[in-house]
Amino acid sequence: MVAEMKAEQIGRAARTDMQLTVPVRPVLRRGVRLRRAGDSVVLDGADRGQAFSGAFAREGLVPLAEACDGTRDHAALANELGLDESAVYKCLALLWTAGVIEEAVTGEEPRVEPELAVFLSRLGNSTGANPSWADAAARLARRPVRLEGDPSLVAAARRALRGVCRMVTDPAGPAEAPDELTVFFETASSAPLLAAAGERCERDGRPLLRVRADGGTVVVGPYVDPSITPCLDCGRHGEAEPSGEPPEHLHDLVAGLASHHVTALVARATSTHLPIDSSVIDLATLATTYLPAVTRPGCPKCSWTRGPVAPDAPAGAVYEASVAIPPRAFLAPKDHQAHYYATNLRLQSQFKDWPSRAHTPLPVPDLSVLAGTERHDPSRGGVPLTLPALALVLKIAFGIKDDETTPERVKRWTAAAGNIGCTTAYVVLRDERVTRPGVYAYAEGSHTLVAVSDTVPPGDSPCDIVVTGDLKKVMTKYGTFGFRLVFLDSGCGLASAREVARHLGLRFAPTSDWDDDALARVLGSSPADEPVVAVAALGGTA
């Protein structure tokens, strides 16, 4: 899938979004180049292919990149090229997000091999955590890495990391720094030594990366830090028994895989699945499976609960761990740029419409009834549900602000993850005084009720609100993390609906249990694509 980003959009965002930065004295990253290719300008050498289109890209982008030599700030670049400074800023923001430029090195450059400097600079765009390659090199020089475990793999890793970072190979020696990283290579023969290494790191509060290799696989992880991750026992719980020693001809491959992730952890210049997941790599096919580290309830080292240790972590905990945001120290600022891809921005204005079904216009919400600070006094009894009241509840909880919404940005009344709107509200109406009984969908874009079914499921309230998650829409941007977001959005929607209902004097009662299959049949939805995530009763007596 092509990810499109516009200079105008990312330049405007960089002015206000603190997670986006633009180099003050930009310099072209080492190992990359821009070149004309037909009507486009192509970026070679970066971590992913990029193409720039448009009139300015064809005529001005290459000269701008060539002028980025680290000696000029934005004003000087604008003066040099005869451009407006604001236009230069927008273009630099786009070039930074694409991995073309970085901040110029201040002071003396680190003394490292040219190949390492190019590696850190060219692929440093993978996280955007370092202003320049020199910052990544400084991280490597500052933080020691202790190699322990299988002697052959330790020797191979020492060769791979020579000249890259500070290495300690004496397992019995004291830590050289509080943040020293221990890498333990576990094989069938070195496995008995792992427990002692883990206890030593736990006692000293230092992180440990376990790398396990056998006859058929290599497992990179878990990464164990007592302050942010589950313990070593929970992190490797449920692993298959090792199948012999790793073949000698694969020692360099195992060490190379480990060295890549060690460099990524320390320098933050390349991508890694750590510290959240472990990766299980098949040494014959290189097929990779990612497994999250999950605390087992009752674990005496990393669980808050007390009692016997659970044999396995609950499925919900495994899912939460698999989609967890990395700890602050390991956040990848570049991941935040996904919010500004054109395809993701367009999601916010993509509304379900049900064009072949009958639409019933809802009354224009009277927002003035919410302006006062006085709420309905419950002691006076409940207020009957009316169509205007239902329209107001739906508008505030799930609708958009028509007067403030533009083609570029949708404004909603209630918080929504990524401003996407990944929930759909259905209305089950039983009271004919409100409108014709039936099951309706709320079309947020047109503020209408869409007829879904004339079959009304049994219930005691005049109206039920059923909230479903639009997984196809939200997972376009967020992947499996989107499943979690639909629950967060539904919670926000119900909270807003409750506040409006209480203000109006309407009964509002969330439902704690429901029949998913029965509701799916009534709504004509698929639980796999559109699961029911919340149900609440609206109106009636308490």
Side-chain angles (χ1 to χ4, degrees):
M1 183 177 68
V2 176
E4 177 188 349
M5 189 178 290
K6 297 181 179 180
E8 181 70 31
Q9 178 67 45
I10 196 65
R12 188 186 316 120
R15 295 285 190 187
T16 57
D17 193 327
M18 300 301 291
Q19 296 190 67
L20 299 176
T21 59
V22 178
V24 176
R25 294 185 178 274
V27 64
L28 199 66
R29 290 184 182 270
R30 300 185 177 204
V32 306
R33 69 170 183 175
L34 289 173
R35 61 179 174 84
R36 283 288 302 270
D39 291 335
S40 302
V41 172
V42 176
L43 171 64
D44 295 324
D47 58 332
R48 66 176 185 268
Q50 303 275 335
F52 305 89
S53 58
F56 181 81
R58 289 190 296 271
E59 305 300 329
L61 206 56
V62 172
L64 174 60
E66 291 175 346
C68 293
D69 58 4
T71 64
R72 302 179 179 90
D73 61 11
H74 301 176
L77 286 168
N79 184 63
E80 174 78 14
L81 299 170
L83 299 172
D84 183 77
E85 188 174 344
S86 64
V88 169
Y89 181 87
K90 294 172 186 176
C91 290
L92 292 177
L94 182 63
L95 291 177
W96 177 78
T97 61
V100 181
I101 59 173
E102 62 185 337
E103 192 68 66
V105 177
T106 57
E108 186 178 354
E109 289 188 352
R111 296 181 179 178
V112 300
E113 294 294 328
E115 293 83 359
L116 178 59
V118 171
F119 172 81
L120 296 175
S121 179
R122 184 173 68 86
L123 298 183
N125 181 55
S126 295
T127 63
N130 299 296
S132 78
W133 72 267
D135 297 279
R139 289 175 185 255
L140 288 169
R142 183 172 59 246
R143 187 177 181 187
V145 176
R146 184 182 297 269
L147 304 177
E148 294 189 38
D150 184 88
S152 298
L153 293 177
V154 167
R158 190 186 303 120
R159 292 192 299 271
L161 292 171
R162 184 179 296 119
V164 174
C165 62
R166 291 171 56 191
M167 284 182 288
V168 182
T169 56
D170 178 12
E176 293 194 0
D179 62 346
E180 178 182 280
L181 171 63
T182 295
V183 182
F184 189 95
F185 289 93
E186 179 188 2
T187 58
S189 58
S190 66
L193 305 175
L194 177 58
E199 291 173 2
R200 189 166 58 249
C201 291
E202 182 181 353
R203 182 185 64 245
D204 297 339
R206 292 184 285 110
L208 167 72
L209 172 61
R210 191 282 307 259
V211 179
R212 192 187 86 162
D214 59 25
T217 62
V218 57
V219 183
V220 181
Y223 177 90
V224 182
D225 184 331
S227 65
I228 58 175
T229 72
C231 68
L232 178 61
D233 291 338
C234 285
R236 60 184 183 140
H237 176 73
E239 288 183 338
E241 290 296 319
S243 58
E245 297 284 347
E248 184 177 352
H249 68 276
L250 292 177
H251 285 182
D252 284 341
L253 174 60
V254 174
L257 290 169
S259 299
H260 165 83
H261 292 289
V262 168
T263 304
L265 279 171
V266 176
R268 300 293 316 284
T270 50
S271 297
T272 178
H273 57 271
L274 301 169
I276 298 297
D277 296 327
S278 294
S279 64
V280 183
I281 304 164
D282 187 299
L283 290 174
T285 65
L286 297 185
T288 304
T289 303
Y290 297 97
L291 302 174
V294 190
T295 293
R296 295 166 297 164
C299 174
K301 292 183 178 180
C302 61
S303 174
W304 286 97
T305 61
R306 292 295 173 258
V309 181
D312 294 293
V318 176
Y319 169 75
E320 286 292 330
S322 71
V323 299
I325 296 174
R328 183 175 180 84
F330 294 95
L331 282 175
K334 184 167 174 57
D335 292 346
H336 183 69
Q337 297 168 17
H339 287 297
Y340 301 102
Y341 290 144
T343 51
N344 289 336
L345 290 172
R346 285 194 289 268
L347 287 174
Q348 60 182 288
S349 56
Q350 293 176 5
F351 305 122
K352 282 189 173 182
D353 190 43
W354 299 272
S356 63
R357 296 183 179 271
H359 287 57
T360 301
L362 286 168
V364 177
D366 182 7
L367 301 175
S368 65
V369 301
L370 302 176
T373 56
E374 263 190 58
R375 291 193 178 196
H376 175 80
D377 185 356
S379 65
R380 289 159 40 197
V383 173
L385 179 64
T386 63
L387 190 60
L390 175 62
L392 183 58
V393 170
L394 292 173
K395 186 70 169 178
I396 298 300
F398 305 99
I400 62 174
K401 296 182 177 181
D402 301 300
D403 295 341
E404 300 180 29
T405 293
T406 67
E408 291 77 29
R409 184 166 180 82
V410 171
K411 290 285 189 176
R412 302 178 186 275
W413 286 100
T414 295
N419 197 30
I420 288 178
C422 58
T423 57
T424 301
Y426 290 87
V427 177
V428 179
L429 272 173
R430 303 185 181 90
D431 190 344
E432 62 183 8
R433 292 172 296 179
V434 179
T435 192
R436 179 181 176 181
V439 179
Y440 299 88
Y442 175 59
E444 56 185 325
S446 58
H447 189 55
T448 59
L449 287 182
V450 183
V452 172
S453 173
D454 291 330
T455 303
V456 182
D460 299 326
S461 63
C463 174
D464 288 338
I465 296 177
V466 180
V467 185
T468 64
D470 190 345
L471 292 185
K472 284 188 175 180
K473 184 179 183 183
V474 70
M475 290 178 70
T476 300
K477 177 178 178 181
Y478 288 106
T480 53
F481 183 64
F483 185 65
R484 188 181 194 219
L485 295 180
V486 299
F487 288 95
L488 294 175
D489 274 15
S490 68
C492 290
L494 289 193
S496 295
R498 179 194 61 194
E499 293 303 300
V500 175
R502 286 180 177 177
H503 199 95
L504 299 177
L506 297 169
R507 173 179 175 260
F508 185 84
T511 302
S512 60
D513 193 17
W514 57 81
D515 188 329
D516 289 276
D517 293 334
L519 284 176
R521 287 193 295 271
V522 169
L523 302 179
S525 60
S526 164
D529 297 329
E530 194 179 359
V532 176
V533 293
V535 179
L538 179 65
T541 58

